[in-house]
Amino acid sequence: MVTQSGLEAPALGPADVPAGQPVPSAPMSAQDYLRAVLRAPVYEVAMKTPLEPMERLSRRIGNTVLAKREDRQPVHSFKLRGAYTRMRALSQQERAAGVVTASAGNHAQGVALSGARLGVRAVIVMPITTPSIKVEAVRQLGGEVVLAGNAFDEAKEHAVALAADHGLTYVAPFDDPLVIAGQGTIGLELLQDDARLDRVFVPVGGGGLAAGIAVLIKQLMPEIQVIGVEPEESACLAAALTAGHPVTLDHVSLFAEGVAVARIGEETFRLLKSSIDDVVTVSSDEISAAVKDLFDDTRAVAEPAGAVSLAGLKKYVRGHDITGERLAHILSGANLNFGSLRYIAERAELGEQREGLFAVEIPERAGSFLHFCRVLGRRMVTEFNYRYCDPDRATVFVGVELHSREERADIASALRRGGYRVADLSDDENAKTHLRYMIGGRPPVDLGERLASFEFPESPGALVHFLSVLGSRWNISLFHYRSFGMDTGRVLAGFAGASADPGFTGHLDAVGYPWSDASDSPAYRFFQADPR
């Protein structure tokens, strides 16, 4: 339970407590959770979702793959189950006062719809960077939206303050036993629909969904393995399991924002450390490939977080050489920002290892282009960018269709045997996000340049803040910005005269935006840096 101050209380035991009555504070056992799941009132507002076969993918990877379609819920996400279960247990006094939560996505909609169904005022604090489509969705469901803070943590602080000042009950997005029990009803449905499952793959953010499913399945059919899946840059459960306790990540990627949580919940970790069988992490490219798989097989358009568990399923099958099993994954949500589709489409082939990206230096002479194409052979070229460099050489950025994961190395070897200097850029984030759109344009003189990659908040004044903190110490010699319809944009910037300046790093830290040094990126060296 979460108190009105927003601080977590000990785990509760709601199984035998009528709705609206106080619940005891004794820690819940696995059997308590089983009873709580069985009594969760989710079907007053949510639906039992289908477990749908993915026939094309099943044939491709040699296993029966089944998608649990939580995108079919009224709010297109599983979050409604937990939010309603928690709010259904409010006392009459709590109902009269109302609830508050902080969320930029699916939990917000779950709380808003639950409030509308129960006649409870629902205040939703959302970061000011939240896309307008999500703000309007919450308002249409009856939620009172308050915009505060540039990120979730700041929005949560404001929500907790509102709870304390106005007597509202804070509805936690994951670290609450009643929320966990509500999400656990998905595990019950999985067993009802297919008791022959071998493994279930579950996305992990704060851990509410994974904990609910795992504790339910391990009570009823412990032979079924439950595998948690996290984005590589938001792997708070993996970090907690390594440390033996919840830890706070320094930074999380917002691509799969529905699972972009910096710290696993205390109660969810207590449950998961004894009930989860394994954890696998996946890249943004692998998630994008899973979004495409879901569309190809079911015509569902999943949000990135909704495809995380399928990405993990595919990676786990490949890494453990699994065949002939029945594997389920949770398609947890479909509240996609439309602008993100461009990024997902770009990355899907890379995530499936169906495309390789290469930088190649070719001699600037007649016939060299033809020779280069002959070395590539009959392979399909997916992208080709050429830029005159100087009288002696030119640089080429080329994408090539792949038929196997080993073919990238074969292509690079063939090009080197053909006499070319080559770099495989398929795993170079700066190449995939920025440099492939910036081919050419070397400086005419040595600028003493350093390159940095930033995540900018999508909010008014972000660029002005960036330039104001940096001041006029260095000239910005390169700047490339891309937005993907998410809460942050990606920026690549070059700074003339910074290569020998010991104060450079400190100044960038002072900006307050996540950044990394990109000066050694092979793509930058091939296409943008001074060649001397």
Side-chain angles (χ1 to χ4, degrees):
M1 178 182 179
V2 174
T3 65
Q4 290 183 7
S5 67
L7 301 177
E8 186 189 30
L12 307 179
D16 301 310
V17 179
Q21 298 302 311
V23 283
S25 58
M28 286 176 64
S29 67
Q31 292 80 9
D32 291 332
Y33 268 108
L34 175 58
R35 288 193 293 271
V37 170
L38 292 173
R39 298 187 64 176
V42 297
Y43 303 111
E44 294 176 6
V45 64
M47 64 175 286
K48 182 181 184 295
T49 54
L51 185 62
E52 187 171 333
M54 296 183 65
E55 296 178 355
R56 292 178 58 176
L57 181 61
S58 296
R59 289 193 296 269
R60 198 170 87 218
I61 69 173
N63 293 274
T64 299
V65 180
L66 304 162
K68 180 62 170 169
R69 294 291 303 275
E70 284 299 293
D71 60 309
R72 303 279 290 273
Q73 293 292 357
V75 296
H76 307 293
S77 162
F78 75 95
K79 285 286 190 178
L80 178 62
R81 295 175 184 258
Y84 187 83
T85 301
R86 175 67 184 91
M87 293 171 63
R88 182 72 164 72
L90 293 170
S91 68
Q92 290 300 322
Q93 181 179 359
E94 289 171 330
R95 290 192 182 200
V99 301
V100 64
T101 194
S103 172
N106 296 333
H107 179 62
Q109 295 183 56
V111 170
L113 180 56
S114 298
R117 293 291 181 90
L118 294 169
V120 175
R121 178 192 179 201
V123 179
I124 318 293
V125 182
M126 309 182 82
I128 60 175
T129 55
T130 304
S132 60
I133 186 173
K134 293 189 174 183
V135 174
E136 290 306 314
V138 172
R139 285 175 174 156
Q140 288 176 8
L141 290 168
E144 299 178 25
V145 176
V146 176
L147 298 177
N150 289 314
F152 171 76
D153 288 341
E154 295 175 9
K156 181 181 178 182
E157 288 180 9
H158 190 74
V160 170
L162 288 177
D165 293 343
H166 300 281
L168 305 173
T169 298
Y170 183 79
V171 180
F174 49 83
D175 207 21
D176 181 303
L178 290 175
V179 172
I180 294 168
Q183 321 300 29
T185 57
I186 296 174
L188 187 62
E189 292 176 17
L190 286 170
L191 299 185
Q192 290 171 339
D193 285 345
D194 194 334
R196 296 179 297 137
L197 293 173
D198 293 292
R199 304 173 205 263
V200 176
F201 293 81
V202 188
V204 179
L209 175 63
I213 290 176
V215 73
L216 182 285
I217 287 178
K218 291 305 178 183
Q219 283 296 294
L220 298 180
M221 300 192 69
E223 68 273 17
I224 298 177
Q225 288 202 346
V226 181
I227 314 296
V229 188
E230 300 181 286
E232 290 174 349
E233 295 178 302
S234 307
C236 61
L237 174 58
L241 290 171
T242 299
H245 56 83
V247 296
T248 302
L249 303 179
D250 294 332
H251 174 64
V252 296
S253 169
L254 293 178
F255 171 61
E257 60 182 338
V259 289
V261 177
R263 184 183 178 91
I264 197 77
E266 297 289 339
E267 175 67 358
T268 56
F269 180 69
R270 182 180 77 86
L271 297 170
L272 287 169
K273 67 183 179 182
S274 60
S275 59
I276 203 82
D277 291 287
D278 208 348
V279 179
V280 59
T281 61
V282 291
S283 69
S284 294
D285 290 354
E286 289 167 331
I287 296 169
S288 297
V291 172
K292 183 177 184 297
D293 287 324
L294 283 163
F295 179 79
D296 288 345
D297 245 313
T298 69
R299 291 302 183 263
V301 183
E303 62 185 277
V308 161
S309 58
L310 178 57
L313 182 156
K314 291 165 58 185
K315 187 172 186 176
Y316 203 83
V317 163
R318 188 169 61 248
H320 293 76
D321 196 24
I322 295 170
T323 57
E325 292 192 354
R326 298 184 69 79
L327 310 173
H329 68 93
I330 315 301
L331 199 179
S332 58
N335 289 304
L336 178 73
N337 295 328
F338 188 77
S340 300
L341 282 173
R342 178 179 59 178
Y343 176 91
I344 292 169
E346 288 175 1
R347 296 303 189 92
E349 295 303 297
L350 290 165
E352 200 59 60
Q353 296 287 305
R354 291 178 181 150
E355 183 183 31
L357 301 179
F358 302 90
V360 186
E361 185 179 283
I362 66 175
E364 189 60 69
R365 63 172 180 261
S368 62
F369 195 4
L370 175 60
H371 180 258
F372 170 77
C373 292
R374 285 174 172 166
V375 172
L376 278 181
R378 298 181 63 82
R379 294 181 173 93
M380 180 69 71
V381 173
T382 59
E383 181 172 350
F384 196 94
N385 292 288
Y386 160 81
R387 173 68 170 169
Y388 176 89
C389 184
D390 60 39
D392 299 318
R393 62 195 181 91
T395 47
V396 171
F397 183 99
V398 61
V400 183
E401 182 180 289
L402 304 178
H403 298 93
S404 70
R405 293 176 176 269
E406 297 73 29
E407 196 173 0
R408 274 170 50 185
D410 295 340
I411 292 171
S413 296
L415 290 169
R416 292 188 182 102
R417 289 195 303 271
Y420 298 112
R421 187 166 74 97
V422 60
D424 185 345
L425 303 180
S426 307
D427 298 321
D428 188 312
E429 187 63 31
N430 288 309
K432 293 184 287 187
T433 301
H434 298 288
L435 272 302
R436 72 190 301 180
Y437 306 101
M438 301 171 61
I439 304 306
R442 294 181 183 274
V445 296
D446 183 2
L447 300 177
E449 188 176 58
R450 283 184 70 177
L451 197 69
S453 174
F454 297 87
E455 286 188 12
F456 269 44
E458 290 282 12
S459 59
L463 179 57
V464 171
H465 169 75
F466 173 77
L467 296 174
S468 298
V469 174
L470 286 178
S472 56
R473 185 166 178 171
W474 306 285
N475 178 47
I476 294 179
S477 50
L478 177 152
F479 194 89
H480 185 253
Y481 163 78
R482 294 200 75 200
S483 173
F484 301 112
M486 294 178 281
D487 295 343
T488 60
R490 298 294 298 273
V491 170
L492 190 70
F495 302 87
S499 60
D501 192 330
F504 179 70
T505 298
H507 270 69
L508 295 196
D509 288 341
V511 173
Y513 299 160
W515 74 278
S516 60
D517 195 312
S519 303
D520 292 329
S521 165
Y524 168 66
R525 291 295 171 190
F526 261 85
F527 298 107
Q528 295 288 335
D530 174 35
R532 284 161 290 186

